[in-house]
Amino acid sequence: APVWVGRQRAKAARALLEAHPDIDVVIADDGLQHLALQRDVELAVVDSRRFGNGWLMPAGPLREGLSRLDRVSAVVLRDVAPLAHIAAPQFRLSLQIDSFLHLATREELPTLAFVKRFPQVTAAAGIGYPAQFRASLAKIGLNALALSEELPDHFDWMQVDWARDLAGPIVITEKDAVKAERLNDPRLWVARAVPHLESELLDLIVERIRGSQAA
């Protein structure tokens, strides 16, 4: 799938469609507050952090008030119990790590074979919630040590000194692998995860898209 990046989502979407006129579905990451971007389906993902202290930025983590969840198409729950007093339908999402890819050689190992070969690894994730990544590794029986300092979200993996003192396998996310691939570091393995969504959520998304196309 072609990927376009831009601070102004509507402009990026128009440029994408001009370059690829055959595209009939555009998925925007982190797009709820980009109101200039017309949308047919809105999904809000809530994980175990829930809503922090419940305050808006900069006093808290929220970009909009919690009442915004009443107006989205669906709330997607990852490792969190259903939310009370939310009008939108709620569905569960789970991610299951099913294999590991050696970034330098492209060797791929099933989960059990990887855990058997490497009983202990270091987990490194330049994402917004690295603790959740380590929890996913623990679920499959992998002893994953944390870095002494967490990497920031959108970490620049070309800063090669970040892992100078690390020995043994380093497990990273698929998101990070896109940036880390150029390092050609033999220590790096990518945890490949398969998402599992409730079929009712998929039906809702398809129904909304088809309804929009028919209109």
Side-chain angles (χ1 to χ4, degrees):
V3 178
W4 284 60
V5 178
R7 290 184 180 276
Q8 298 186 42
R9 298 295 199 277
K11 281 188 175 181
R14 281 193 293 268
L16 167 63
L17 293 175
E18 289 174 3
H20 301 275
D22 56 319
I23 295 293
D24 56 3
V25 173
V26 176
I27 300 175
D29 175 50
D30 203 13
L32 278 185
Q33 284 75 46
H34 293 265
L35 300 182
L37 182 67
Q38 189 272 336
R39 71 283 309 274
D40 302 299
V41 182
E42 289 185 326
L43 303 178
V45 180
V46 179
D47 59 31
S48 57
R49 293 172 295 179
R50 295 174 64 91
F51 311 108
N53 62 7
W55 289 67
L56 298 178
M57 298 173 68
L62 302 182
R63 300 177 188 175
E64 294 187 68
L66 293 179
S67 61
R68 179 69 169 87
L69 294 180
D70 294 330
R71 305 193 303 276
V72 298
S73 306
V75 175
V76 182
L77 306 171
R78 183 178 178 192
D79 300 325
V80 64
L83 307 173
H85 312 300
I86 298 295
Q90 301 179 47
F91 302 92
R92 293 188 182 277
L93 160 71
S94 63
L95 285 177
Q96 179 64 47
I97 298 174
D98 71 344
S99 65
F100 290 82
L101 177 71
H102 190 238
L103 204 54
T105 65
R106 316 308 290 182
E107 176 189 7
E108 189 165 2
L109 290 176
T111 294
L112 291 178
F114 184 85
V115 174
K116 185 175 180 180
R117 184 189 295 187
F118 303 113
Q120 182 172 290
V121 302
T122 299
I127 58 177
Y129 192 16
Q132 190 171 55
F133 175 55
R134 292 195 299 274
S136 297
L137 296 175
K139 283 182 181 179
I140 60 171
L142 189 60
N143 182 12
L145 303 177
L147 296 174
S148 57
E149 280 189 38
E150 298 282 18
L151 302 178
D153 196 11
H154 306 294
F155 176 65
D156 178 8
W157 285 85
M158 298 312 291
Q159 300 178 27
V160 293
D161 60 340
W162 70 272
R164 180 177 298 164
D165 299 325
L166 294 178
I170 302 172
V171 177
I172 65 176
T173 71
E174 291 179 286
K175 174 183 175 181
D176 293 313
V178 177
K179 300 178 182 179
E181 192 168 13
R182 291 177 293 164
L183 288 175
N184 198 32
D185 189 326
R187 296 172 296 175
L188 296 180
W189 287 81
V190 185
R192 309 188 79 171
V194 177
H196 297 278
L197 295 168
E198 294 185 60
S199 59
E200 292 82 2
L201 173 58
L202 300 177
D203 292 341
L204 182 150
I205 294 172
V206 172
E207 179 183 346
R208 293 288 181 91
I209 292 175
R210 286 177 174 169
S212 171
Q213 292 172 336

